[in-house]
Amino acid sequence: MNAFFVRTKISFYIILFICTVFSWGTPIHAAVSSEGSILIISSYNPETSQTSKNISAFLDEYKLLGGERSVVIENMNCKSFSDALLWKEQMRKIIEKYSNNPTDVPSLIIVLGQEAWSAYLSQPKGLVTKIPVICGMVSRNTVILPEDNVYLPDWEPKSVDAFDDLKDCNIVAGYSYDYDVDKNIQLIQDFYPKTKHIAFISDNSYGGVTMQALVKKKMKKHADLDLILLDGRKHTIYTVSDEISHLPENTSILLGTWRVDKNDGYFMRNATYAMEAANPTIPTFTLASIGLGHWALGGYTPCYREIGKDIANQVVNYFKNGKSKVNLKFIANQYSFDIKKLEEKGFKGKILPSGSVFVNEDIPFWKEYKYLIYSIIVAFFLLLAVLLITLLFLMRTSKLKDSLLISEAELREAKDRAEESSRLKTSFLANMSHEIRTPLNAIVGFANVLAIEDNSAEDLKKYFEIIRTNSDLLLNLINDILDISRLEAGRIKFAFEECDIVSLCQIILSSAEYARKTEAKFVLDTPIESFALVTDIQRIQQILINLLSNASKFTSKGQIVLGIKIEKEKNRILFSVSDTGCGIPLEKQKLVFERFEKLNEYAQGTGLGLSICKLTVDRLGGDIWIDPDYTEGARFVFSHPLNITISAEEQI
C-alpha cells in the first residue's frame, strides 16, 4: 500500500508541475471585446478536473449565449494547504494587476474554488468592493486566512458565513454549497440514539479546515455530545486509522473530507477503505458524500454538479438586466443512503426522509440479465422470421402458375412495345432523312448552278442566299436533333444561377423583335419591374426564343405578347407567348410537341423546336401547354418553380 501511495503522490505532483509551468501567473484569454473583460480566478487545486470542466462549460455556454466580452483566466495553483499563507498575497496581486490596468479594468470577477474564495474574502474591504463578483465551487461556510506568522497545524479558525457575516464584499450572484451539520447530527441520533461521541474526520486541506471549523461551531448547540476531532493536519492515514480503531463506545463517525494527510500525501478512495478496515462496525455518516457507497450509512449532502453553464447564464443576465435580476443560489442538499449498509446494520424497514436517494440498490432482473433477455428475443424473432419465410415460400409456390400466366401476358406486351419502338425508330429515321434531304438537295443543286459561268451577278446573289438559308436550316436541324438526344439521355448539365427574369425577358424580346420577319408588334406584359429567379439562363432563353420565333412565323400583323405571372401559392412563375396569328386547331394542340410535327409543311423549320422546349421545361421541373381558351391566335404557356431544387449532377 505504501508503494501505491508514493506512486499516486508522484503522479499528482507531476501533473501539477505541468499545469504550473503552463498556467501559473500567465492569464489565459478567450474572445475579444472592447468592453470590460471578465476575469476568472480559479484555485486550480488538486481537484483540477472539476475546475477545468466548469471553466470549459462556462466558455462554451457564454459563447453560445452571444457573450462578447473577453474572458481572462488566472489560476492560483493552490497545490496544498501548506501554501495557504501565500494565497492571500497571490489574490491581492491578481486583483490589483487587473483593477489598476487603465486599458481594460474587469467588469466582473468570477471566483472558482474554495482556496481562491477564501483568498478573495480575506482581502481588505476596499479592494473587494471595487468589482462585482460571482462565485462557484465554494461553500457558504468559510474561514478567513491567517496572517503570515501562524503555524497552520495549530491554527484554530472560526467559521464565518460568507454571505451573512461578510456583507461588504461585492457579491452579485453565484452558486454555493451549504453544508448542514445539524441535520447530519439529527440523522445520526435518529439511527443511533445512544450516541455520545461524534468523531469528525477532516484532512489537511482548506476544505477540511473549513468543515472542521463549521462542525466545531455547530456542535456548541449539542452539549450532550462530545466532539472528537480526527484532524488530517496532525495525522497520517495510518495514525488516523489507529485513532479510529480505539474510539470509545457509543461513538459515531461523521466524515468531512480526506484527500491529503499531514505529510501532503494525496489519497483517493483507498484512504476511506483503510479507515473503514480499522473499525468496520462503527456507525459512519458523511457530510460531503465522502465514503458513501462503501463505508458511510448515509448523510445529508449537497447535490454536487457542474455549474459552469449556470454561471454563464448569470453573467449574461447580469450584463443584460443588472444586479437586480440575478442572485446568489445555494445548491440543494439531499438525504443519501447506502441500501446494503441499511440492510447490514438492520435498518432495512426503517422510515427514511422523503426524497431520499440510494446507492448500491439491487439491479432489477431485466437489467441484470438484459443480455440473456436480448438473446432470447433475438432467437424468438429469428424463429418467427424462419416461419414467415416458409409461409412466403408456400404462398409464392402456389402463385407460381398465375405468375407464369402474367409473365406470358407481359412478354406479349413487351413484344408489342418493341415493335412499336422499332416502328417509331423507322419513322424517326424516315422523317430525319426527309428533313435533311430537302435542304441538302437545295444546297447541292444550287451549288452546281453556281458552277455555270454565264450567271449574272443578281442570279449569283439569289443562289447564294438560297444556299445560305438551307445551310442554316440544315445546321439548325442537326443541332435540334443533338439537343433532343442529349436531353433524353440526361447528358446536358444545367447551370443554375440567380437572375432578374424581367430584365432577361426584355432582352429576349428585343432580340426577337430585331430578327423579326413580321409586321406584328412585340409586347412585354408583366405586373412587376424585377424579380430574382434561380434558373438556367441559357435554357430559358432557348425556350422563349423558340416560342417567339414560332409566333412570328404565323403572325403577319397584330401583336406578339410575352407575359409573366407569379403564383406564389403554387410556388411557380408562368411564362406565356400569345400571338394574333392563325391559331392551332384543338385536335392538333397535343400533337405540336411531337417530333417533326409541323402544322404547315411548307413553313420553314425543323419541327423539333417545341419538342426541345417540352423536354427542357420538364428538366426544369415545370410544365408546358397550349391555352385552349385563347381564341385570338395561339398562346403557349410554361411554368417554372420559384424555389428550384438543384441536384449535384446539375451543378457546374
Side-chain angles (χ1 to χ4, degrees):
M1 183 178 291
N2 290 340
F4 177 79
F5 290 166
V6 171
R7 288 196 302 271
T8 303
K9 182 174 180 180
I10 291 173
S11 300
F12 167 69
Y13 279 112
I14 289 174
I15 293 172
L16 282 179
F17 173 75
I18 294 172
C19 293
T20 302
V21 168
F22 286 101
S23 64
W24 194 5
T26 303
I28 302 171
H29 296 267
V32 177
S33 172
S34 58
E35 299 175 306
S37 61
I38 299 170
L39 173 61
I40 298 178
I41 306 176
S42 74
S43 302
Y44 219 72
N45 59 11
E47 202 171 5
T48 55
S49 61
Q50 290 302 318
T51 306
S52 299
K53 288 179 182 177
N54 279 306
I55 292 176
S56 178
F58 169 83
L59 294 174
D60 291 342
E61 186 71 9
Y62 182 66
K63 182 178 180 182
L64 188 65
L65 294 172
E68 297 179 350
R69 296 173 187 263
S70 62
V71 179
V72 184
I73 303 173
E74 286 279 0
N75 295 322
M76 292 181 61
N77 297 310
C78 301
K79 291 177 286 189
S80 67
F81 187 61
S82 59
D83 297 330
L85 299 177
L86 305 175
W87 297 344
K88 186 161 52 174
E89 180 65 13
Q90 283 181 256
M91 176 61 72
R92 183 188 65 78
K93 289 181 179 180
I94 292 173
I95 295 175
E96 289 182 346
K97 171 184 174 182
Y98 290 93
S99 60
N100 295 333
N101 182 359
T103 60
D104 187 17
V105 176
S107 54
L108 183 69
I109 295 177
I110 300 174
V111 179
L112 295 179
Q114 294 277 54
E115 294 83 358
W117 180 234
S118 173
Y120 173 79
L121 296 176
S122 301
Q123 297 301 313
K125 180 197 292 188
L127 191 62
V128 297
T129 57
K130 291 181 180 179
I131 304 172
V133 170
I134 292 179
C135 59
M137 298 178 66
V138 303
S139 171
R140 176 175 194 158
N141 315 106
T142 187
V143 297
I144 301 301
L145 291 176
E147 299 301 327
D148 296 346
N149 57 355
V150 172
Y151 181 58
L152 290 176
D154 294 333
W155 181 41
E156 298 292 337
K158 291 184 179 180
S159 177
V160 295
D161 190 315
F163 310 113
D164 289 341
D165 300 337
L166 304 175
K167 295 183 179 180
D168 292 332
C169 298
N170 192 5
I171 302 167
V172 296
Y175 286 82
S176 172
Y177 303 118
D178 188 4
Y179 295 101
D180 196 323
V181 177
D182 293 330
K183 285 194 176 181
N184 278 283
I185 296 298
Q186 182 60 48
L187 189 66
I188 292 172
Q189 291 180 324
D190 186 35
F191 276 85
Y192 294 95
K194 296 182 180 180
T195 298
K196 295 181 180 180
H197 311 280
I198 299 293
F200 181 71
I201 299 176
S202 60
D203 67 350
N204 184 24
S205 69
Y206 174 80
V209 173
T210 55
M211 283 188 186
Q212 185 187 105
L214 175 63
V215 170
K216 288 167 64 178
K217 177 181 177 181
K218 295 295 184 180
M219 285 298 293
K220 292 178 180 178
K221 296 189 298 183
H222 302 277
D224 56 326
L225 295 175
D226 176 36
L227 178 61
I228 302 173
L229 296 177
L230 299 178
D231 191 346
R233 293 178 296 169
K234 302 175 181 179
H235 287 284
T236 65
I237 180 63
Y238 309 109
T239 59
V240 80
S241 297
D242 185 60
E243 290 286 336
I244 291 172
S245 65
H246 294 91
L247 287 173
E249 190 178 355
N250 296 326
T251 297
S252 292
I253 291 178
L254 180 60
L255 290 172
T257 180
W258 191 279
R259 290 188 179 88
V260 186
D261 65 7
K262 74 172 188 177
N263 295 328
D264 286 340
Y266 189 81
F267 302 91
M268 301 299 286
R269 289 181 63 182
N270 52 297
T272 51
Y273 280 111
M275 294 177 189
E276 179 185 16
N279 195 344
T281 61
I282 192 168
T284 305
F285 295 81
T286 180
L287 181 64
S289 76
I290 293 292
L292 188 64
H294 64 281
W295 184 17
L297 179 68
Y300 188 67
T301 64
C303 303
Y304 296 103
R305 62 181 178 84
E306 289 184 12
I307 44 83
K309 290 185 178 180
D310 299 313
I311 291 180
N313 278 274
Q314 284 190 335
V315 169
V316 171
N317 200 16
Y318 172 77
F319 286 125
K320 183 178 180 180
N321 301 311
K323 182 177 179 180
S324 61
K325 298 298 181 180
V326 293
N327 52 32
L328 181 72
K329 296 186 178 181
F330 295 101
I331 295 174
N333 290 6
Q334 65 183 9
Y335 286 100
S336 302
F337 296 96
D338 185 334
I339 288 290
K340 292 184 178 179
K341 287 292 180 181
L342 288 173
E343 294 179 358
E344 179 185 319
K345 302 293 184 181
F347 297 113
K348 184 177 181 180
K350 184 175 178 61
I351 299 176
L352 302 174
S354 60
S356 298
V357 297
F358 303 95
V359 297
N360 289 333
E361 288 187 274
D362 289 334
I363 302 174
F365 175 82
W366 66 272
K367 283 187 177 181
E368 186 175 2
Y369 299 101
K370 64 179 180 179
Y371 295 112
L372 177 60
I373 294 172
Y374 291 158
S375 301
I376 293 173
I377 293 173
V378 170
F380 170 76
F381 280 107
L382 284 175
L383 291 174
L384 184 62
V386 171
L387 178 61
L388 290 174
I389 291 171
T390 304
L391 291 174
L392 289 172
F393 178 76
L394 292 174
M395 292 174 62
R396 186 172 180 274
T397 303
S398 66
K399 292 180 180 180
L400 183 59
K401 183 178 180 180
D402 295 337
S403 298
L404 289 173
L405 293 174
I406 293 172
S407 296
E408 182 181 359
E410 290 176 347
L411 286 172
R412 290 181 180 277
E413 184 180 351
K415 177 177 174 292
D416 293 339
R417 286 200 303 269
E419 290 175 351
E420 176 67 13
S421 177
S422 178
R423 186 189 67 77
L424 291 174
K425 185 179 85 170
T426 302
S427 175
F428 174 79
L429 291 173
N431 282 329
M432 189 175 67
S433 299
H434 171 73
E435 293 294 337
I436 291 175
R437 184 171 62 248
T438 300
L440 198 57
N441 285 338
I443 293 169
V444 173
F446 283 97
N448 290 329
V449 173
L450 287 175
I452 301 174
E453 296 181 357
D454 57 347
N455 290 314
S456 65
E458 184 179 349
D459 289 339
L460 288 174
K461 182 178 180 181
K462 182 173 65 175
Y463 300 155
F464 172 79
E465 184 65 26
I466 293 172
I467 292 173
R468 187 184 63 79
T469 300
N470 283 276
S471 297
D472 291 342
L473 182 62
L474 182 61
L475 180 61
N476 289 337
L477 174 63
I478 294 173
N479 285 337
D480 288 345
I481 292 171
L482 290 175
D483 280 348
I484 285 181
S485 175
R486 285 182 292 180
L487 280 168
E488 288 185 335
R491 293 189 326 207
I492 290 183
K493 292 185 178 180
F494 283 44
F496 291 98
E497 60 183 299
E498 186 176 277
C499 70
D500 184 350
I501 198 65
V502 176
S503 176
L504 180 64
C505 287
Q506 290 172 339
I507 295 171
I508 294 171
L509 201 63
S510 298
S511 300
E513 189 173 15
Y514 178 80
R516 68 180 176 178
K517 297 179 180 180
T518 175
E519 296 179 6
K521 183 180 180 181
F522 286 82
V523 178
L524 177 63
D525 180 18
T526 172
I528 54 176
E529 294 183 0
S530 67
F531 185 80
L533 180 70
V534 175
T535 187
D536 186 319
I537 297 175
Q538 181 183 351
R539 301 303 163 189
I540 286 291
Q541 286 178 327
Q542 184 183 22
I543 296 169
L544 291 175
I545 289 173
N546 261 329
L547 296 178
L548 290 169
S549 177
N550 283 347
S552 66
K553 289 178 187 178
F554 299 101
T555 308
S556 58
K557 295 182 179 180
Q559 62 179 7
I560 298 172
V561 180
L562 172 56
I564 301 173
K565 182 180 180 182
I566 298 173
E567 296 182 343
K568 290 187 177 180
E569 66 279 3
K570 295 183 179 180
N571 189 37
R572 67 180 185 176
I573 181 171
L574 296 181
F575 298 90
S576 63
V577 176
S578 310
D579 61 52
T580 55
C582 59
I584 302 173
L586 286 174
E587 64 274 11
K588 291 190 175 182
Q589 287 185 0
K590 291 185 178 180
L591 299 176
V592 296
F593 296 105
E594 299 292 332
R595 299 173 189 175
F596 299 108
E597 186 65 33
K598 297 168 64 176
L599 297 180
N600 185 353
E601 292 294 333
Y602 300 101
Q604 186 179 6
T606 64
L608 295 174
L610 291 176
S611 297
I612 293 173
C613 289
K614 180 171 177 55
L615 288 171
T616 305
V617 169
D618 289 343
R619 285 287 302 277
L620 289 171
D623 196 9
I624 186 168
W625 66 92
I626 300 174
D627 186 356
D629 300 324
Y630 184 77
T631 58
E632 297 180 13
R635 173 181 288 162
F636 284 82
V637 184
F638 73 92
S639 63
H640 187 291
L642 292 179
N643 299 314
I644 196 164
T645 302
I646 306 173
S647 61
E649 61 271 13
E650 289 175 332
Q651 300 183 42
I652 294 181

